[in-house]
């Protein structure tokens, strides 16, 4: 006997198009996503909804594309407060004369909380539901993230240089682990160890990082091979390239997220590939700081999992991973002279399922599938700049901007709708940003 | 004796910041632009306005940056109706299997009128006041442009291949010159000869193009050196590179706009430089079609005037020259590993005064100066994604998107304000785009 009762659910989203990402390359037309509590419980043809489910929250999105929530796989959210502070500067001037003195002067728990909150607001408006964070004072960041309703993987920042936040490797680690205790019960927050970069961390500290990562089953999130200089310095100091050094220490693994990876030789590629590490490509930051252009074709040939990060707003200057995904696709086409490389569906993978995999969250997010958390981004394609439309998937990647983001759900909750955030007050974010701007400007 | 009367004027714009472009590198704070009829008649400190001028149209823009109206130096506006039609396709497939058959099937005067109107709407919303146009049926384009209130330089399209529009070089030329007669009294429309590309035009037709350009004092707008293949084909057919061939014919001059110019050797650079030609760099299109990346550093070293074009929406897929300017700057930094190249002020030049110069309109537009036409673009910087702000000029180039465009004046008339166009109905543009989308899709 068929059960004919209609099931009440939290939310129904009936959309013109759904790009579920898995199964790959599929666009569902006139389908609905059924959400109960925090999970996607069904994806069915819209005409079948009325006989199966009902909800007080039924969204009819007639001109819209729904994708998995976008994932920004590398940022320093709090740096939104330094947005555009030192544009057009060579990398060493940028770091030595601007960013590091600024950080020394200004970075406090309040700064990190405020900057992170503002970045969360910008990311939500840009269709991002999850981000992979690395900065000082992770506890302060976690407070802002909790408020925002976003999902995040917070890096426990580690290096051997002293800063306002900590004195040495051990101190960073202890503070990070203590901070982690504060969010261990939060279902939306996970953690990774975040050693800054090979050149700022000793082998001893890296060994400790690895021990904790193994004990606590955490991913490792690290800048590597961003510039040629970093590699030649390593060759001088250790007689091996940074990736080789990390590999000998046992750091490179499926849990390793290699941020930037602009300069990789065949051995580096082979190591990352063999160890199933992920690469976080940050094309805007790499261009803007004159670092160079990562070889995406080589990463693909080596079957390396590629994700996209915005990097912090001092080197981007936006928290708009959709834009960086588009840039990655265009750059790869131009560099290889092959317009078919990084096509629309592979580009969308980079900011969804690939990033979920890198974060160890492949079973939870990154695609619109039954049983996954309801992290969803909606684009309204009824815009002057997105019409006509012949292929929703490629339009999403090449014609759409964050302007078209109309709704964002995180963990089943509607966090953004048509200019309004649910959990963050945009005006107060602007006020906070202005207050910091005044303070910093007065002290230049 | 001082004249104490207060002068009535058409419009006063009091802005927090003005980037006049000339004088170079200057940002005026708390200044006002005084417009009478179609011209800028004064630029003064805002505190002095009340004692000198008054207007019923006084705009108080407390959080805004005013720049000269942006100039899109190369597009095929009507191709907005093919937006995203053949993404991720290799160039020859894109042209031979998609674009050319599509054009043969669909391009009519109605198509060109409708597509151009939609592109005008998108460009105005993106802060563009002037564009440099090249496509079939220029008469139809001119009707849409007149309606839009934009300024444009319309190319009289010429090639030797037959199309729906014309049969051979002579036919194209005659039709173009006849079309030009229709807009010769329009103050906002100028004309250029627009030979398609070296590979689609014979020497005979190029000689005719040159004769008319000289007789009528028109600029010449042409695609050149977009791909390596174009150069090797020329070497086979003419035993010289296309630029050398054009130069021998006398085509290269200060009136020559070389679109793309991705592949230039030292001789090409020297020719363009000696003859004071302009290059229209179209970075998105060159990346997307896998053409390559133009060497901006070499152009700069040769003191060549560089402008920015979006190209048509089938190869971009946006009419957003602000985005292409930003991409040009980032690309140049990444390719040269020099973050200081194409800095913010030089980038802004490319989409304003440089383009005005290329179009032969340097005395009329391209900067905010007394006596120039009042073509102005305003950005509202009171946005989550543009705060904090430490340097208005660099923020404009690296953090701002067309989302922040709040007002656009063309020739003294307010054509765009906060989502609304004065002369074009956005809903009817969307309806037109959808109608063409349906027609084209039904016939694929």
């Amino acid at each position: 006997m068929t059960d004919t009762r209609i099931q009440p659910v939290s939310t129904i989203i009936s959309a013109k198009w759904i790009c579920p990402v898995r199964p790959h390359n599929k666009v569902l037309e006139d389908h609905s996503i059924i959400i109960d509590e925090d999970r996607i419980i069904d994806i069915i043809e819209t005409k079948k909804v009325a006989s199966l489910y009902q909800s007080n929250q039924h969204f009819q999105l007639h001109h819209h594309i729904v994708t998995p929530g976008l994932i920004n796989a590398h940022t320093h959210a709090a740096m939104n407060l330094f947005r555009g502070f030192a544009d057009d500067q060579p990398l060493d001037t940028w770091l030595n004369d601007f960013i590091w003195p600024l950080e020394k002067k200004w970075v406090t728990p309040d700064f990190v909380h405020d900057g992170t909150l503002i970045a969360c607001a910008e990311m939500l408006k840009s269709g991002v539901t999850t981000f992979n964070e690395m900065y000082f004072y992770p506890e302060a960041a976690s407070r802002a993230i909790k408020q925002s309703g976003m999902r995040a993987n917070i890096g426990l920042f580690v290096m051997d240089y002293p800063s306002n936040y900590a004195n040495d490797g051990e101190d960073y680690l202890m503070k990070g682990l203590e901070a982690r205790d504060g969010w261990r019960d939060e279902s939306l927050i996970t953690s990774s160890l975040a050693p800054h970069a090979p050149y700022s961390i000793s082998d001893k500290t890296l060994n400790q990082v690895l021990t904790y990562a193994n004990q606590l089953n955490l991913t490792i999130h690290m800048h590597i091979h961003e510039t040629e200089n970093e590699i030649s310095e390593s060759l001088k100091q250790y007689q091996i390239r940074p990736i080789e050094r990390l590999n000998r220490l046992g750091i490179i693994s499926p849990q390793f997220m290699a941020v930037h990876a602009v300069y990789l030789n065949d051995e580096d590629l082979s190591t990352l590939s063999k160890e199933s590490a992920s690469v976080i490509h940050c094309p805007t930051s790499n261009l803007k700081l004159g670092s160079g252009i990562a070889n995406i074709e080589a990463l693909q040939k080596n079957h390396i999992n590629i994700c996209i990060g915005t990097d912090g707003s001092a080197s981007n200057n936006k928290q708009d991973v959709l834009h960086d995904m588009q840039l990655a696709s265009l750059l790869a086409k131009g560099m290889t002279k092959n317009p078919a490389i990084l096509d629309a569906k592979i580009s969308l993978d980079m900011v969804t399922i690939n990033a979920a995999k890198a974060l160890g969250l492949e079973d939870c997010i990154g695609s619109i599938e039954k049983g996954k958390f309801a992290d969803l981004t909606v684009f309204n394609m009824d815009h002057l700049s997105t019409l006509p439309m012949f292929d929703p998937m490629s339009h999403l990647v090449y014609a759409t901007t964050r302007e078209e983001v109309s709704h964002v759900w995180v963990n089943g909750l509607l966090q953004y709708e048509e200019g309004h955030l649910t959990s963050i007050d945009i005006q107060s974010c602007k006020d906070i940003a202005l207050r910091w701007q005044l303070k910093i400007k007065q002290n230049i």
Side-chain angles (χ1 to χ4, degrees), chain A:
Chain A
M1 207 179 87
T2 315
D3 187 342
T4 56
R5 282 172 311 176
I6 294 173
Q7 185 181 343
V9 295
S10 312
T11 304
I12 300 170
I13 302 168
S14 298
K16 186 64 195 163
W17 301 280
I18 298 171
C19 296
V21 171
R22 291 289 176 270
H24 204 227
N25 201 14
K26 202 162 185 174
V27 177
L28 305 170
E29 217 170 315
D30 297 320
H31 274 61
S32 294
I33 300 167
I34 315 298
I35 300 172
D36 204 36
E37 304 283 337
D38 52 358
R39 303 265 179 180
I40 296 164
I41 61 161
D42 210 350
I43 301 143
I44 53 171
E45 283 177 87
T46 294
K47 64 184 178 197
K48 294 184 183 159
V49 167
S51 62
L52 291 167
Y53 301 103
Q54 70 97 3
S55 173
N56 297 331
Q57 298 288 322
H58 190 157
F59 292 80
Q60 303 282 356
L61 306 174
H62 298 295
H63 309 282
H64 302 66
I65 301 178
V66 187
T67 70
L70 307 184
I71 303 174
N72 182 359
H74 177 66
T75 191
H76 313 286
M79 293 186 86
N80 258 41
L81 291 176
F82 294 145
R83 194 198 310 265
F85 190 83
D87 293 332
D88 296 322
Q89 300 297 331
L91 183 60
D92 44 343
T93 317
W94 183 80
L95 268 178
N96 294 310
D97 297 354
F98 291 94
I99 298 304
W100 287 343
L102 264 182
E103 287 184 333
K104 190 162 171 49
K105 186 161 184 82
W106 294 109
V107 175
T108 61
D110 277 355
F111 177 97
V112 171
H113 171 272
D114 290 357
T116 304
L117 189 69
I118 292 167
C120 286
E122 186 186 354
M123 281 192 269
L124 279 169
K125 284 193 72 187
S126 308
V128 173
T129 54
T130 299
F131 64 104
N132 192 29
E133 168 62 15
M134 177 201 278
Y135 208 54
F136 306 103
Y137 300 106
E139 188 277 330
S142 77
R143 283 186 281 117
I145 294 165
K146 282 182 220 168
Q147 184 185 334
S148 76
M150 290 184 82
R151 196 182 299 280
N153 182 57
I154 304 181
L156 312 180
F157 187 73
V158 186
M159 62 178 180
D160 281 318
Y161 295 124
S163 67
N164 302 357
Y165 167 54
N167 299 317
D168 55 27
E170 195 131 341
D171 195 22
Y172 281 97
L173 270 167
M174 288 309 107
K175 283 180 169 149
L177 293 167
E178 195 186 314
R180 176 173 169 268
D181 287 337
W183 67 68
R184 280 177 68 184
D185 298 332
E186 295 292 326
S187 63
L188 298 189
I189 305 184
T190 53
S191 317
S192 62
L193 270 305
H196 173 254
Y199 56 83
S200 55
I201 313 193
S202 64
D203 286 359
K204 182 182 154 230
T205 302
L206 281 172
N207 277 321
Q208 285 180 292
V209 163
L210 184 62
T211 304
Y212 284 114
N214 288 339
Q215 272 178 10
L216 304 170
N217 194 25
L218 301 180
T219 48
I220 298 179
H221 174 193
M222 188 174 195
H223 301 111
I224 56 137
H225 291 217
E226 183 176 4
T227 63
E228 285 169 318
N229 186 48
E230 167 189 341
I231 296 168
S232 57
E233 288 299 313
S234 173
L235 286 168
K236 269 191 236 162
Q237 193 179 346
Y238 300 100
Q239 291 75 53
I240 45 176
R241 293 163 68 85
I243 285 182
E244 172 67 12
R245 178 176 154 235
L246 296 177
N247 197 34
R248 287 193 195 171
L249 292 168
I251 296 273
I252 317 274
S253 77
Q255 282 72 48
F256 187 70
M257 293 182 274
V259 179
H260 298 310
V262 178
Y263 296 97
L264 301 178
N265 67 13
D266 288 347
E267 275 168 41
D268 299 330
L269 285 162
S270 157
T271 303
L272 293 174
S273 176
K274 255 190 241 157
E275 303 298 336
S276 302
S278 294
V279 161
I280 318 296
H281 175 38
C282 302
T284 302
S285 171
N286 298 154
L287 292 175
K288 184 147 191 291
L289 299 179
S291 309
I293 299 175
N295 184 343
I296 298 302
E297 191 183 29
L299 292 169
Q300 285 196 310
K301 280 189 180 152
N302 284 275
H303 310 290
I304 292 167
N305 185 47
I306 311 168
C307 318
I308 302 288
T310 56
D311 211 346
S313 284
S315 60
N316 185 307
N317 305 348
K318 309 183 188 85
Q319 295 296 300
D320 180 3
V321 82
L322 182 77
H323 175 262
D324 287 271
M325 169 196 72
Q326 184 183 90
L327 177 58
S329 173
L330 291 174
L331 268 182
K333 294 175 200 311
M335 292 298 285
T336 59
K337 300 185 190 163
N338 172 14
I341 200 174
L342 279 196
D343 66 18
K345 60 183 193 297
I346 293 175
S347 298
L348 187 58
D349 283 355
M350 296 192 298
V351 291
T352 54
I353 195 71
N354 293 10
K357 190 178 166 193
L359 294 170
L361 297 171
E362 199 181 0
D363 296 335
C364 307
I365 57 171
S367 60
I368 301 177
E369 291 181 276
K370 267 194 219 183
K372 284 201 170 181
F373 293 124
D375 287 11
L376 302 165
T377 298
V378 183
F379 299 86
N380 181 353
M381 305 306 275
D382 184 32
H383 274 268
L384 198 55
S385 49
T386 48
L387 287 168
M389 177 163 82
F390 299 101
D391 177 337
M393 181 91 82
S394 83
H395 233 49
L396 190 69
V397 173
Y398 303 114
T400 307
T401 65
R402 64 180 175 184
E403 244 184 299
E404 281 83 52
V405 172
S406 63
H407 304 72
V408 176
W409 276 268
V410 187
N411 213 41
L413 294 177
L414 183 62
Q415 291 292 358
Y416 176 71
E417 185 176 14
E418 309 282 7
H420 301 283
L421 292 168
T422 307
S423 305
I424 308 179
D425 179 55
I426 292 179
Q427 187 54 52
S428 74
C429 282
K430 295 199 292 185
D431 294 343
I432 291 169
L434 270 174
R435 213 157 54 231
W436 280 100
Q437 175 187 307
L438 281 174
K439 272 211 273 191
I440 295 171
K441 269 186 134 170
Q442 275 166 3
N443 280 277
I444 291 172

